[in-house]
Amino acid sequence: MQKQSLKVFVYGFLILSLVLGLGIQFTPAEAIEPVAVSIVVNSSSDEPDAEYGLPCETAVGNGVCTLRAAIKVANDLQSINGTLITFDIEKSNAYAPTIINIGSALPMLMIDGTIIQGPNLHDDSALVLDGHGGAFAGLEIRANNCAVKNLVIAGFGSYGIKVGLDSITVSGLLITGNMIGNLVPLGIIDKPNAGGIRLIKTNSAVIGGETAAERNIIAGNSGFGIYIQYGGINVIKGNYIGVKSDGVTALSNTQGIYIYDSSGNTVGGNTAAKRNIISGNTSFGVFFEGGDNILMGNYIGTDASGMIAIPNEAGGVRVGNSGPVYSGNQIGGSNPGEGNLISGNAEAGLALVNTDVTTVRGNIIGLDVAESNALPNQWGITLTSAQNSYIGSTIANAGNIISGNERQGIFVGENVLNASIKGNAIGVNHAGQAFGNGMDGIKVQYAQEFTIGGVESLAQNTIAHNVGNGVEIESAYGQIVGNNLFDNGELGIDVWRNSGQEGVTPNDANEADDIQNYPVLQHIGYTSAGAVELVGQVVTLPTETLKISVYGSDACDPSRFGEGQTYLGMFERTSNASGVIIFDINLLVTKAWLYYTTTAWSGSMGPSEFSACMSVYTYLPVILR
């Protein structure tokens, strides 16, 4: 009979004898709350446990309990109520970090409900696990409902915390209040882990929390800060990833958060307490290669105040890669607190690559959180080989602020299909103040079936004060309807198929240049209070239906073509057999605009550039093709 079994037998026999001898009669008792087994680590050494089960001691009768011994005992006991491992280690240098030097891989946590919790209760000092570069993880977990709290984990040649295995599913993990990476207190430096936290086939884990005490600092690792692979429905909230505990000083991981082939994860949340600071990393702040994940309410590329840039070097957020097409990811949201601040990154704030059905709503991309200064990314948003991307929406508060970036606010690139850009402010903040992007507001290149704006007020983008064009369309086919375009450095809309067509492209007689002709205004006049009449014509393909949009502006572009400060309305007309449309329309207006302009859109050739601007008081000759 094993020693432990013998102890249990003798103990039970003595209790039974006592009951029978005293004639005790039992009555039903109230339910007792289950209590976890408690093991106290009292030594900073690294020796193993001497025997099976309790007590925890490295030699029989010596009373010395190490962390290595405590984990073995927890695995031996297999307590159905869990095991709590705490630390009470006496040392001479009070309040200095309590350092446990780990010489080889610790036993894995194999029993559900095992909790390892710092700090050192003897003097409330930081409890440090130092791996000294050993090629193993700091803590490895293979059981459900385990927790790691308030430790410093540094110097491991694998991840600081590694959870799960390809063949094992783990759930219910809690990781809070830890410092994971090159963060050992009191100047003990050069202690990176190869990575911060890795979850493999893990579900329903929570990394971080909603108080400062629950925040993990995951920084200074030579690999990923957090890596989630397979599994899903995990939550990452309230952490600093790539910066120190001051929220200001960069201490890089490679990628801040990498989620691969894992779905249903949430990074951040809709309150300030759930916000992650994901900045200062040498690659991307966040990289999703999975579907149906949510990125919400985070600061990505700034400090904890949202006012100072701390760049992620490869960009703020990337969704998708060259492999499988993942769908259903959500960046931001339309409800209060759901939008991310994605600013100050060295490349794109947000890059969508080979994705499907991605929604981007309510984010600030390129300004500080107060929208008072530019914190530029290189590009605001880029799309490559992406399908069904929804940047903004007709839902209230779903529009993004995409302003102050070094290059284009939005770049829509090759093999993009069905990009919808609606309700955004591109080159301005919410108050309408100018923060132009350094090149075009939007550039579309080789894409198909894109939509910029719409006739509903919530669908219209404001695209203003950008250094280049408001919208530049290069060899791409889609729809530009509505929108408010003004005070851009070049044209409001520039459409071209080859470099010789950049700038204002003259109309042609038969549409041989494959660019939709702009309308020609011939007469504008007020017919009654609040009504304006516009007369003009446009040449297009025979029997082609055009959508002709009308705009009012306080000023005419220096090119004398466009822009369109305020969208006033749209009407449809179909050309005759010669391809000519002659129009005479009346619009109700709430303001007597000084200048009016128009654009046209056809299903065959896409959008036109702006017409020449015309004043009610000016009569220009007909511009023939």
Side-chain angles (χ1 to χ4, degrees), residues 277-315:
I277 309 301
I278 310 168
S279 303
N281 299 289
T282 59
S283 185
F284 297 98
V286 179
F287 195 163
F288 284 169
E289 280 194 84
D292 300 309
N293 297 296
I294 297 172
L295 182 69
M296 178 185 294
N298 305 285
Y299 288 2
I300 303 170
T302 76
D303 72 336
S305 74
M307 302 297 287
I308 299 171
I310 306 178
N312 295 294
E313 294 300 324

Side-chain angles (χ1 to χ4, degrees), residues 523-536 550 568-571 573 583-589 596:
H523 168 76
I524 301 176
Y526 293 114
T527 59
S528 61
V532 62
E533 179 186 38
L534 295 95
V535 177
V550 181
L568 300 177
M570 183 190 72
F571 59 95
R573 295 290 188 274
F583 58 84
D584 184 346
I585 62 170
N586 286 273
L587 287 174
L588 294 176
V589 293
Y596 291 86

Side-chain angles (χ1 to χ4, degrees), residues 369-438:
V369 71
E371 301 179 31
S372 57
N373 292 287
L375 295 182
N377 306 292
Q378 190 168 18
W379 293 268
I381 299 176
T382 62
L383 283 70
T384 305
S385 299
Q387 301 181 64
N388 303 305
S389 305
Y390 301 97
I391 301 173
S393 171
T394 57
I395 299 172
N397 304 311
N400 303 281
I401 304 295
I402 309 168
S403 303
N405 298 288
E406 293 178 1
R407 294 175 69 86
Q408 286 89 3
I410 303 175
F411 180 86
V412 182
E414 193 168 3
N415 298 321
V416 171
L417 180 65
N418 191 27
S420 173
I421 303 172
K422 296 184 177 184
N424 305 286
I426 304 170
V428 297
N429 64 10
H430 275 110
Q433 294 174 298
F435 288 99
N437 295 291

Side-chain angles (χ1 to χ4, degrees), residues 355-523:
T355 58
D356 192 14
V357 192
T358 307
T359 60
V360 182
R361 295 177 177 174
N363 304 286
I364 299 173
I365 303 176
L367 303 181
D368 64 31
V369 71
E371 301 179 31
S372 57
N373 292 287
L375 295 182
N377 306 292
Q378 190 168 18
W379 293 268
I381 299 176
T382 62
L383 283 70
T384 305
S385 299
Q387 301 181 64
N388 303 305
S389 305
Y390 301 97
I391 301 173
S393 171
T394 57
I395 299 172
N397 304 311
N400 303 281
I401 304 295
I402 309 168
S403 303
N405 298 288
E406 293 178 1
R407 294 175 69 86
Q408 286 89 3
I410 303 175
F411 180 86
V412 182
E414 193 168 3
N415 298 321
V416 171
L417 180 65
N418 191 27
S420 173
I421 303 172
K422 296 184 177 184
N424 305 286
I426 304 170
V428 297
N429 64 10
H430 275 110
Q433 294 174 298
F435 288 99
N437 295 291
M439 297 180 71
D440 308 305
I442 302 173
K443 181 169 183 175
V444 185
Q445 187 178 58
Y446 310 126
Q448 304 292 321
E449 298 182 25
F450 63 86
T451 301
I452 300 174
V455 296
E456 312 99 316
S457 60
L458 288 174
Q460 295 167 27
N461 302 287
T462 296
I463 307 170
H465 307 294
N466 300 288
V467 174
N469 300 292
V471 180
E472 181 174 336
I473 308 297
E474 179 188 351
S475 299
Y477 294 86
Q479 184 170 193
I480 304 174
V481 176
N483 305 302
N484 306 300
L485 298 104
F486 58 95
D487 288 341
N488 295 291
E490 298 181 14
L491 299 181
I493 301 173
D494 188 7
V495 182
W496 54 284
R497 310 292 183 217
N498 58 67
S499 59
Q501 297 171 322
E502 292 179 83
V504 177
T505 304
N507 286 337
D508 62 343
N510 56 8
E511 298 284 34
D513 61 4
D514 196 29
I515 296 175
Q516 174 60 54
N517 288 325
Y518 52 79
V520 177
L521 291 173
Q522 299 167 327
H523 168 76

Side-chain angles (χ1 to χ4, degrees), residues 44 91 93-100 120 123-128 152 183-188:
S44 60
K91 63 184 196 299
N93 188 4
Y95 308 108
T98 302
I99 299 175
I100 300 177
N120 181 11
D123 55 8
D124 204 35
S125 61
L127 197 290
V128 180
V152 179
L183 293 155
V184 181
L186 298 186
I188 304 172

